[in-house]
Coordinates of all heavy atoms in Angstrom, one line a residue:
M1 N 10.7 -4.6 -5.7 CA 11.0 -3.5 -4.8 C 9.8 -3.3 -4.0 O 8.7 -3.2 -4.5 CB 11.4 -2.3 -5.6 CG 11.8 -1.2 -4.7 SD 12.1 0.3 -5.8 CE 12.6 1.4 -4.5
C2 N 10.0 -3.1 -2.7 CA 8.9 -2.9 -1.8 C 8.2 -1.5 -2.0 O 8.8 -0.6 -2.5 CB 9.3 -2.9 -0.3 SG 10.2 -4.4 0.1
H3 N 6.9 -1.5 -1.8 CA 6.2 -0.3 -1.9 C 5.0 -0.3 -1.0 O 4.6 -1.3 -0.4 CB 5.7 -0.1 -3.4 CG 4.8 -1.2 -3.8 ND1 5.3 -2.3 -4.4 CD2 3.5 -1.3 -3.8 CE1 4.2 -3.1 -4.7 NE2 3.1 -2.5 -4.4
W4 N 4.5 0.9 -0.8 CA 3.3 1.1 0.0 C 2.1 0.9 -0.9 O 2.1 1.3 -2.1 CB 3.2 2.4 0.6 CG 4.3 2.6 1.6 CD1 5.5 3.3 1.5 CD2 4.2 2.2 3.0 NE1 6.2 3.2 2.6 CE2 5.5 2.6 3.6 CE3 3.3 1.5 3.8 CZ2 5.7 2.3 4.9 CZ3 3.6 1.2 5.1 CH2 4.8 1.7 5.7
R5 N 1.0 0.4 -0.4 CA -0.2 0.3 -1.1 C -1.3 1.1 -0.4 O -1.5 1.0 0.8 CB -0.7 -1.1 -1.3 CG -2.0 -1.2 -2.2 CD -2.2 -2.6 -2.7 NE -2.6 -3.4 -1.6 CZ -2.9 -4.7 -1.7 NH1 -2.8 -5.3 -2.9 NH2 -3.3 -5.4 -0.7
R6 N -1.9 2.0 -1.1 CA -2.9 2.9 -0.5 C -4.2 2.6 -1.2 O -4.3 2.6 -2.4 CB -2.4 4.4 -0.8 CG -3.2 5.4 -0.1 CD -2.5 6.7 -0.1 NE -1.3 6.7 0.7 CZ -0.4 7.6 0.7 NH1 -0.5 8.6 -0.1 NH2 0.7 7.5 1.5
V7 N -5.1 2.2 -0.3 CA -6.4 1.9 -0.9 C -7.5 2.8 -0.4 O -7.6 3.2 0.8 CB -6.8 0.4 -0.4 CG1 -8.2 0.0 -1.0 CG2 -5.8 -0.6 -0.9
R8 N -8.3 3.3 -1.3 CA -9.4 4.1 -1.0 C -10.7 3.5 -1.6 O -10.8 3.5 -2.8 CB -9.2 5.5 -1.5 CG -10.4 6.4 -1.6 CD -10.1 7.8 -2.1 NE -9.7 8.6 -1.1 CZ -9.6 10.0 -1.2 NH1 -9.9 10.5 -2.3 NH2 -9.3 10.7 -0.2
N9 N -11.5 3.0 -0.7 CA -12.8 2.4 -1.1 C -13.8 3.5 -1.5 O -13.9 4.5 -0.8 CB -13.4 1.5 0.0 CG -12.6 0.3 0.2 OD1 -11.8 -0.2 -0.7 ND2 -12.8 -0.4 1.3
Y10 N -14.4 3.2 -2.6 CA -15.5 4.1 -3.0 C -16.8 3.3 -2.9 O -17.0 2.2 -3.5 CB -15.3 4.6 -4.4 CG -16.5 5.4 -4.9 CD1 -16.8 6.6 -4.3 CD2 -17.3 5.0 -5.9 CE1 -17.9 7.4 -4.7 CE2 -18.4 5.8 -6.4 CZ -18.6 7.0 -5.8 OH -19.7 7.7 -6.2
Y11 N -17.7 3.8 -2.1 CA -19.0 3.1 -1.9 C -20.1 3.7 -2.7 O -20.4 4.9 -2.5 CB -19.4 3.1 -0.4 CG -18.4 2.3 0.5 CD1 -17.3 3.0 1.0 CD2 -18.6 1.0 0.7 CE1 -16.4 2.3 1.8 CE2 -17.7 0.3 1.5 CZ -16.6 0.9 2.0 OH -15.7 0.2 2.7
K12 N -20.5 2.9 -3.7 CA -21.4 3.4 -4.8 C -22.7 3.9 -4.2 O -23.3 4.9 -4.7 CB -21.6 2.3 -5.8 CG -21.5 2.7 -7.2 CD -21.3 1.5 -8.1 CE -22.5 1.1 -8.9 NZ -22.2 0.0 -9.7
R13 N -23.3 3.1 -3.3 CA -24.6 3.4 -2.8 C -24.8 4.7 -2.1 O -25.8 5.4 -2.2 CB -25.1 2.3 -1.9 CG -25.2 0.9 -2.6 CD -26.4 0.8 -3.5 NE -26.4 -0.4 -4.2 CZ -27.2 -1.5 -3.8 NH1 -27.9 -1.4 -2.7 NH2 -27.1 -2.6 -4.4
C14 N -23.7 5.1 -1.3 CA -23.8 6.3 -0.5 C -22.8 7.4 -1.0 O -22.8 8.5 -0.4 CB -23.7 6.0 1.0 SG -22.1 5.3 1.4
R15 N -22.0 7.0 -2.0 CA -21.0 7.9 -2.6 C -20.0 8.4 -1.5 O -19.6 9.6 -1.6 CB -21.7 9.1 -3.3 CG -22.6 8.6 -4.4 CD -23.2 9.8 -5.1 NE -24.4 9.4 -5.9 CZ -25.3 10.2 -6.4 NH1 -25.3 11.5 -6.1 NH2 -26.3 9.7 -7.1
H16 N -19.6 7.6 -0.6 CA -18.6 8.0 0.3 C -17.3 7.3 0.0 O -17.3 6.2 -0.6 CB -19.0 7.5 1.8 CG -20.1 8.4 2.3 ND1 -21.1 7.9 3.2 CD2 -20.4 9.7 2.2 CE1 -21.9 8.9 3.6 NE2 -21.5 10.0 2.9
Y17 N -16.2 8.0 0.4 CA -14.9 7.4 0.3 C -14.4 7.0 1.6 O -14.7 7.6 2.6 CB -13.9 8.4 -0.3 CG -14.1 8.7 -1.8 CD1 -14.8 9.8 -2.2 CD2 -13.6 7.8 -2.7 CE1 -15.0 10.1 -3.5 CE2 -13.7 8.1 -4.1 CZ -14.5 9.2 -4.5 OH -14.6 9.5 -5.8
L18 N -13.6 5.9 1.7 CA -13.0 5.5 2.9 C -11.5 5.2 2.7 O -11.2 4.2 1.9 CB -13.7 4.3 3.5 CG -13.2 3.8 4.9 CD1 -13.4 4.8 6.0 CD2 -13.7 2.4 5.2
D19 N -10.7 5.9 3.3 CA -9.2 5.6 3.2 C -8.8 4.5 4.1 O -9.1 4.6 5.3 CB -8.4 6.9 3.5 CG -8.5 7.9 2.4 OD1 -8.4 7.5 1.2 OD2 -8.8 9.1 2.7
L20 N -8.2 3.5 3.6 CA -7.7 2.4 4.5 C -6.3 2.7 4.9 O -5.6 3.4 4.2 CB -7.8 1.0 3.7 CG -9.2 0.7 3.1 CD1 -9.1 -0.7 2.5 CD2 -10.2 0.7 4.2
P21 N -5.9 2.1 6.0 CA -4.5 2.3 6.4 C -3.5 1.8 5.3 O -3.8 0.8 4.7 CB -4.3 1.5 7.7 CG -5.6 1.0 8.0 CD -6.6 1.2 6.9
D22 N -2.4 2.5 5.1 CA -1.4 2.1 4.1 C -0.8 0.8 4.5 O -0.7 0.4 5.6 CB -0.2 3.1 4.1 CG -0.6 4.4 3.5 OD1 -1.8 4.5 3.0 OD2 0.2 5.4 3.5
E23 N -0.6 0.0 3.4 CA -0.1 -1.4 3.6 C 1.2 -1.5 3.0 O 1.4 -1.1 1.8 CB -1.1 -2.3 2.9 CG -1.2 -3.7 3.5 CD -2.2 -4.5 2.7 OE1 -3.2 -4.0 2.3 OE2 -1.9 -5.7 2.5
M24 N 2.2 -2.2 3.6 CA 3.5 -2.4 3.1 C 3.5 -3.7 2.3 O 3.1 -4.7 2.8 CB 4.5 -2.5 4.2 CG 5.6 -1.5 4.2 SD 6.7 -1.7 2.8 CE 7.8 -3.0 3.4
I25 N 3.8 -3.6 1.0 CA 3.9 -4.8 0.2 C 5.4 -5.1 0.0 O 6.2 -4.4 -0.5 CB 3.3 -4.5 -1.2 CG1 1.9 -3.9 -1.1 CG2 3.3 -5.8 -2.1 CD1 0.9 -4.8 -0.4
Q26 N 5.7 -6.3 0.6 CA 7.1 -6.8 0.5 C 7.4 -7.5 -0.8 O 6.6 -8.1 -1.4 CB 7.3 -7.9 1.6 CG 7.4 -7.3 3.0 CD 8.9 -7.1 3.4 OE1 9.8 -7.4 2.6 NE2 9.1 -6.5 4.5
C27 N 8.6 -7.2 -1.3 CA 9.1 -7.9 -2.5 C 10.1 -9.0 -2.0 O 10.4 -9.1 -0.8 CB 9.8 -7.0 -3.4 SG 11.3 -6.3 -2.8
D28 N 10.5 -9.9 -2.9 CA 11.5 -10.8 -2.5 C 12.8 -10.6 -3.3 O 13.5 -11.5 -3.7 CB 11.0 -12.3 -2.6 CG 10.4 -12.6 -3.9 OD1 10.5 -11.7 -4.8 OD2 10.0 -13.7 -4.1
D29 N 13.1 -9.4 -3.5 CA 14.3 -9.0 -4.3 C 15.5 -8.8 -3.3 O 15.4 -8.0 -2.3 CB 14.0 -7.7 -5.0 CG 15.1 -7.2 -5.9 OD1 16.2 -7.8 -5.8 OD2 14.9 -6.3 -6.7
R30 N 16.5 -9.5 -3.5 CA 17.7 -9.5 -2.6 C 18.4 -8.1 -2.7 O 19.2 -7.8 -1.9 CB 18.6 -10.6 -2.8 CG 19.3 -10.8 -4.1 CD 20.0 -12.1 -4.2 NE 21.0 -12.2 -3.1 CZ 22.3 -11.7 -3.2 NH1 22.6 -11.1 -4.3 NH2 23.1 -11.9 -2.2
H31 N 18.1 -7.4 -3.8 CA 18.7 -6.1 -4.0 C 17.8 -5.0 -3.5 O 17.8 -3.9 -4.1 CB 19.2 -5.9 -5.5 CG 20.3 -6.8 -5.8 ND1 20.2 -7.7 -6.8 CD2 21.5 -6.9 -5.3 CE1 21.3 -8.4 -6.9 NE2 22.2 -7.9 -6.0
C32 N 17.0 -5.3 -2.6 CA 16.1 -4.3 -2.0 C 16.4 -4.3 -0.5 O 16.3 -5.3 0.2 CB 14.7 -4.6 -2.3 SG 13.5 -3.6 -1.4
K33 N 16.8 -3.1 0.1 CA 17.1 -3.0 1.5 C 16.0 -3.5 2.4 O 16.3 -3.9 3.5 CB 17.5 -1.5 1.7 CG 18.2 -1.2 2.9 CD 18.4 0.3 3.0 CE 18.6 0.7 4.5 NZ 18.6 2.2 4.6
F34 N 14.8 -3.3 2.0 CA 13.7 -3.6 2.9 C 13.2 -5.1 2.7 O 12.3 -5.5 3.5 CB 12.5 -2.7 2.6 CG 12.9 -1.2 2.6 CD1 13.2 -0.5 1.5 CD2 13.1 -0.6 3.9 CE1 13.6 0.8 1.6 CE2 13.5 0.7 3.9 CZ 13.8 1.4 2.8
S35 N 13.7 -5.8 1.8 CA 13.2 -7.2 1.6 C 13.7 -8.1 2.6 O 14.8 -8.0 3.2 CB 13.7 -7.6 0.2 OG 13.5 -9.0 0.0
D36 N 13.0 -9.2 2.8 CA 13.4 -10.3 3.7 C 14.6 -11.1 3.1 O 15.4 -11.7 3.8 CB 12.3 -11.3 3.9 CG 11.2 -10.8 4.8 OD1 11.5 -9.8 5.5 OD2 10.1 -11.3 4.8
R37 N 14.7 -11.0 1.8 CA 15.8 -11.7 1.1 C 17.1 -11.0 1.1 O 18.1 -11.5 0.7 CB 15.4 -12.0 -0.3 CG 14.1 -12.8 -0.5 CD 14.3 -14.3 -0.7 NE 15.3 -14.6 -1.6 CZ 15.2 -14.8 -2.9 NH1 14.0 -14.7 -3.4 NH2 16.2 -15.1 -3.7
H38 N 17.1 -9.7 1.5 CA 18.3 -8.9 1.5 C 19.3 -9.5 2.5 O 18.9 -9.7 3.7 CB 17.9 -7.5 1.9 CG 19.0 -6.5 1.9 ND1 19.6 -5.9 3.0 CD2 19.8 -6.0 0.8 CE1 20.6 -5.1 2.7 NE2 20.7 -5.2 1.4
P39 N 20.5 -9.7 2.1 CA 21.5 -10.4 3.0 C 21.8 -9.4 4.1 O 22.1 -8.2 3.9 CB 22.7 -10.6 2.1 CG 22.4 -10.0 0.8 CD 21.0 -9.6 0.7
P40 N 21.9 -9.9 5.4 CA 22.1 -9.1 6.5 C 23.5 -8.4 6.5 O 23.7 -7.4 7.1 CB 21.9 -10.0 7.7 CG 21.8 -11.4 7.2 CD 21.6 -11.3 5.7
D41 N 24.5 -9.1 5.8 CA 25.8 -8.5 5.7 C 26.0 -7.5 4.6 O 27.1 -7.0 4.4 CB 26.8 -9.7 5.6 CG 26.6 -10.5 4.3 OD1 25.5 -10.4 3.7 OD2 27.6 -11.2 3.9
C42 N 25.0 -7.2 3.9 CA 25.0 -6.2 2.9 C 24.7 -4.8 3.5 O 23.5 -4.6 3.9 CB 24.1 -6.5 1.7 SG 24.1 -5.3 0.4
R43 N 25.7 -4.0 3.8 CA 25.5 -2.8 4.5 C 26.4 -1.7 4.0 O 27.3 -2.0 3.2 CB 25.8 -3.0 6.0 CG 24.6 -3.3 6.9 CD 25.0 -3.5 8.3 NE 25.2 -4.9 8.6 CZ 26.3 -5.4 9.3 NH1 27.2 -4.6 9.6 NH2 26.4 -6.7 9.5
G44 N 26.2 -0.5 4.4 CA 27.1 0.6 4.2 C 27.2 1.0 2.7 O 26.2 0.8 2.0
P45 N 28.4 1.4 2.3 CA 28.5 1.9 0.9 C 28.2 0.9 -0.2 O 27.6 1.2 -1.2 CB 30.0 2.3 0.8 CG 30.5 2.4 2.2 CD 29.6 1.5 3.0
R46 N 28.5 -0.4 0.1 CA 28.2 -1.4 -0.9 C 26.7 -1.6 -1.1 O 26.3 -1.7 -2.3 CB 28.8 -2.7 -0.4 CG 28.8 -3.8 -1.5 CD 29.6 -5.0 -1.1 NE 29.0 -5.8 -0.1 CZ 28.4 -7.0 -0.3 NH1 28.4 -7.5 -1.6 NH2 27.8 -7.7 0.6
C47 N 26.0 -1.6 0.0 CA 24.6 -1.7 -0.1 C 24.0 -0.5 -0.9 O 23.1 -0.7 -1.8 CB 24.0 -1.8 1.3 SG 22.2 -2.0 1.3
I48 N 24.5 0.7 -0.6 CA 24.0 1.9 -1.3 C 24.2 1.8 -2.8 O 23.4 2.2 -3.6 CB 24.7 3.2 -0.7 CG1 24.1 3.4 0.7 CG2 24.4 4.4 -1.6 CD1 24.9 4.4 1.5
Q49 N 25.3 1.2 -3.2 CA 25.6 1.0 -4.6 C 24.8 0.0 -5.3 O 24.4 0.1 -6.5 CB 27.1 0.7 -4.8 CG 28.0 1.9 -4.8 CD 29.4 1.6 -5.1 OE1 29.8 0.5 -5.4 NE2 30.3 2.6 -5.0
T50 N 24.5 -1.1 -4.6 CA 23.8 -2.2 -5.3 C 22.4 -2.4 -5.0 O 21.7 -3.1 -5.8 CB 24.5 -3.6 -4.9 OG1 24.5 -3.7 -3.5 CG2 26.0 -3.6 -5.3
C51 N 21.9 -1.8 -4.0 CA 20.5 -2.1 -3.5 C 19.6 -0.8 -3.6 O 20.1 0.3 -3.4 CB 20.5 -2.7 -2.1 SG 21.5 -4.1 -2.0
W52 N 18.4 -1.1 -3.7 CA 17.4 -0.1 -3.6 C 17.4 0.5 -2.1 O 17.3 -0.3 -1.2 CB 16.0 -0.6 -3.9 CG 15.8 -1.0 -5.3 CD1 15.7 -2.3 -5.8 CD2 15.5 -0.1 -6.4 NE1 15.5 -2.2 -7.1 CE2 15.4 -0.9 -7.5 CE3 15.4 1.3 -6.5 CZ2 15.1 -0.4 -8.8 CZ3 15.1 1.8 -7.8 CH2 15.0 0.9 -8.9
Q53 N 17.4 1.8 -2.0 CA 17.4 2.4 -0.6 C 16.1 3.0 -0.3 O 15.9 3.5 0.8 CB 18.5 3.4 -0.5 CG 19.9 2.9 -0.9 CD 20.4 1.8 0.2 OE1 20.4 2.1 1.3 NE2 20.8 0.7 -0.3
Y54 N 15.2 3.1 -1.2 CA 14.0 3.7 -1.0 C 12.8 2.8 -1.4 O 13.0 2.0 -2.3 CB 13.8 5.0 -1.8 CG 14.9 6.0 -1.5 CD1 16.0 6.1 -2.4 CD2 14.9 6.8 -0.4 CE1 17.1 7.0 -2.1 CE2 15.9 7.7 -0.1 CZ 17.0 7.8 -1.0 OH 18.0 8.6 -0.7
R55 N 11.7 3.0 -0.8 CA 10.5 2.3 -1.2 C 9.9 3.1 -2.4 O 10.0 4.3 -2.5 CB 9.5 2.2 0.0 CG 10.0 1.3 1.1 CD 8.8 1.1 2.0 NE 9.2 0.2 3.1 CZ 9.7 0.6 4.3 NH1 9.7 1.9 4.5 NH2 10.0 -0.2 5.2
Q56 N 9.3 2.3 -3.2 CA 8.6 2.8 -4.4 C 7.5 3.7 -4.0 O 6.9 3.6 -2.9 CB 8.1 1.7 -5.3 CG 8.3 2.0 -6.7 CD 7.9 0.8 -7.5 OE1 7.0 0.0 -7.1 NE2 8.5 0.6 -8.7
F57 N 7.2 4.6 -4.9 CA 6.0 5.5 -4.7 C 4.8 4.7 -4.4 O 4.6 3.6 -5.0 CB 5.8 6.3 -5.9 CG 5.7 7.8 -5.6 CD1 6.7 8.5 -5.1 CD2 4.4 8.4 -5.8 CE1 6.6 9.8 -4.8 CE2 4.3 9.7 -5.5 CZ 5.4 10.5 -5.0
P58 N 3.9 5.1 -3.5 CA 2.7 4.3 -3.2 C 1.8 4.1 -4.5 O 1.7 5.0 -5.3 CB 2.0 5.1 -2.2 CG 2.7 6.4 -2.0 CD 4.0 6.3 -2.7
Q59 N 1.3 2.9 -4.5 CA 0.4 2.6 -5.6 C -1.0 2.8 -5.0 O -1.3 2.4 -3.9 CB 0.5 1.1 -6.0 CG 1.8 0.8 -6.8 CD 1.8 -0.6 -7.3 OE1 1.0 -1.4 -7.0 NE2 2.8 -0.8 -8.2
Q60 N -1.8 3.5 -5.8 CA -3.1 3.9 -5.3 C -4.2 3.0 -6.0 O -4.2 2.9 -7.2 CB -3.4 5.4 -5.6 CG -4.7 5.9 -5.1 CD -4.4 6.9 -4.0 OE1 -3.4 7.6 -3.9 NE2 -5.4 7.2 -3.2
Y61 N -5.1 2.5 -5.1 CA -6.2 1.7 -5.7 C -7.5 2.4 -5.2 O -7.6 2.9 -4.1 CB -6.1 0.3 -5.1 CG -5.0 -0.5 -5.7 CD1 -3.8 -0.6 -5.0 CD2 -5.1 -1.2 -6.8 CE1 -2.7 -1.3 -5.5 CE2 -4.0 -2.0 -7.3 CZ -2.8 -2.0 -6.6 OH -1.8 -2.7 -7.1
E62 N -8.4 2.3 -6.1 CA -9.7 2.9 -5.7 C -10.8 1.9 -6.1 O -11.5 2.1 -7.1 CB -9.9 4.2 -6.4 CG -10.4 5.3 -5.5 CD -10.6 6.7 -6.1 OE1 -11.5 6.9 -6.8 OE2 -9.6 7.5 -5.9
P63 N -10.9 0.8 -5.4 CA -12.0 -0.1 -5.7 C -13.4 0.4 -5.5 O -13.6 1.2 -4.5 CB -11.7 -1.3 -4.7 CG -10.9 -0.8 -3.6 CD -10.2 0.5 -4.2
V64 N -14.3 0.1 -6.4 CA -15.7 0.6 -6.3 C -16.5 -0.6 -5.6 O -16.5 -1.7 -6.1 CB -16.2 1.0 -7.6 CG1 -17.7 1.3 -7.5 CG2 -15.4 2.1 -8.2
I65 N -17.1 -0.2 -4.5 CA -17.9 -1.2 -3.8 C -19.4 -0.9 -4.0 O -19.8 0.2 -3.7 CB -17.5 -1.3 -2.3 CG1 -16.0 -1.8 -2.3 CG2 -18.4 -2.2 -1.5 CD1 -15.3 -1.5 -1.0
D66 N -20.1 -1.9 -4.4 CA -21.5 -1.7 -4.7 C -22.3 -1.9 -3.3 O -22.8 -3.0 -3.1 CB -22.0 -2.7 -5.7 CG -23.4 -2.4 -6.2 OD1 -23.9 -1.3 -5.9 OD2 -24.0 -3.3 -6.8
G67 N -22.2 -0.9 -2.5 CA -22.8 -1.1 -1.2 C -22.7 0.2 -0.4 O -22.3 1.2 -1.0
Y68 N -22.9 0.1 0.9 CA -22.8 1.3 1.8 C -21.5 1.2 2.6 O -21.1 0.1 3.0 CB -24.0 1.4 2.7 CG -25.3 1.7 2.0 CD1 -26.1 0.7 1.5 CD2 -25.7 3.0 1.7 CE1 -27.3 0.9 0.8 CE2 -26.9 3.3 1.1 CZ -27.7 2.2 0.6 OH -28.8 2.5 -0.1
C69 N -21.0 2.3 3.0 CA -19.8 2.3 3.9 C -20.2 1.9 5.3 O -21.4 2.0 5.7 CB -19.1 3.7 3.9 SG -20.0 4.9 4.8
S70 N -19.2 1.6 6.1 CA -19.5 1.1 7.5 C -20.2 2.2 8.3 O -21.1 1.9 9.2 CB -18.3 0.6 8.2 OG -17.3 1.6 8.1
T71 N -19.9 3.4 8.1 CA -20.5 4.5 8.9 C -22.0 4.6 8.6 O -22.8 4.7 9.5 CB -19.8 5.9 8.5 OG1 -18.4 5.7 8.6 CG2 -20.3 7.0 9.4
C72 N -22.3 4.5 7.3 CA -23.8 4.5 7.0 C -24.5 3.3 7.5 O -25.7 3.4 7.9 CB -23.9 4.6 5.4 SG -23.5 6.2 4.8
I73 N -23.8 2.2 7.6 CA -24.5 1.0 8.1 C -24.7 1.1 9.6 O -25.8 0.8 10.1 CB -23.6 -0.3 7.8 CG1 -23.6 -0.6 6.3 CG2 -24.1 -1.5 8.5 CD1 -22.6 -1.6 5.8
I74 N -23.7 1.7 10.3 CA -23.8 1.9 11.7 C -24.9 2.9 12.0 O -25.7 2.8 13.0 CB -22.5 2.3 12.3 CG1 -21.5 1.2 12.3 CG2 -22.6 2.8 13.8 CD1 -20.0 1.6 12.5
M75 N -25.0 4.0 11.2 CA -26.0 5.0 11.4 C -27.4 4.6 11.0 O -28.3 5.3 11.2 CB -25.6 6.3 10.6 CG -24.2 6.8 10.9 SD -24.1 7.7 12.5 CE -24.9 9.3 12.1
G76 N -27.5 3.4 10.4 CA -28.7 2.9 10.0 C -29.3 3.6 8.8 O -30.6 3.6 8.6
H77 N -28.5 4.1 7.9 CA -29.0 4.7 6.7 C -29.2 3.7 5.6 O -29.3 4.1 4.4 CB -28.0 5.8 6.2 CG -27.8 6.9 7.1 ND1 -26.8 7.8 7.0 CD2 -28.6 7.3 8.2 CE1 -26.9 8.7 8.0 NE2 -28.0 8.4 8.7
V78 N -29.2 2.5 5.9 CA -29.3 1.4 4.9 C -30.6 0.7 5.1 O -31.1 0.5 6.2 CB -28.1 0.4 5.2 CG1 -28.2 -0.7 4.1 CG2 -26.8 1.1 5.1
N79 N -31.2 0.5 3.9 CA -32.5 -0.3 4.0 C -32.4 -1.5 3.0 O -31.7 -1.5 2.1 CB -33.7 0.6 3.8 CG -33.5 1.5 2.6 OD1 -33.0 1.0 1.5 ND2 -33.9 2.7 2.6
Ligands
LIG1 ZN1 11.6 -4.6 -1.8
LIG2 ZN1 22.0 -4.2 0.3
LIG3 ZN1 -21.6 6.1 3.5

């Protein structure tokens, strides 16, 4: 089932967080309305009964990056 992926980088050196744009993760489940594998003729009440109609709750990732964020690099706070 398709879901959004939300990534928030944590930069260890400057202790800043950076939210990345949400990313759509496609599944290949034919019983998912948003999937590429979902048959185009599956519509209406039948689709509602057999297929996922909603995307899953976003999965949150918080990778820790051993470095400085791009703002700090641009501002020259990095040595
Ligand atoms: Zn899906
Ligand atoms: Zn369907
Ligand atoms: Zn920073």
Side-chain angles (χ1 to χ4, degrees):
M1 183 186 184
C2 303
H3 62 272
W4 293 98
R5 185 164 67 180
R6 190 162 291 169
V7 180
R8 164 179 272 195
N9 286 343
Y10 176 66
Y11 295 89
K12 224 161 108 180
R13 299 286 178 96
C14 61
R15 296 179 197 164
H16 287 148
Y17 287 98
L18 180 70
D19 288 312
L20 305 184
D22 287 357
E23 209 183 319
M24 239 293 278
I25 308 300
Q26 281 270 357
C27 68
D28 54 1
D29 186 350
R30 62 188 303 276
H31 292 117
C32 170
K33 195 183 155 185
F34 305 101
S35 167
D36 287 343
R37 303 263 316 268
H38 182 249
D41 60 342
C42 180
R43 264 181 268 129
R46 187 166 79 103
C47 184
I48 289 168
Q49 277 185 2
T50 57
C51 305
W52 292 103
Q53 304 294 309
Y54 302 99
R55 290 192 180 93
Q56 215 175 31
F57 229 67
Q59 291 186 347
Q60 185 115 20
Y61 292 92
E62 226 176 81
V64 176
I65 293 158
D66 190 14
Y68 294 91
C69 74
S70 53
T71 310
C72 285
I73 291 168
I74 291 165
M75 302 287 279
H77 294 165
V78 180
N79 46 41

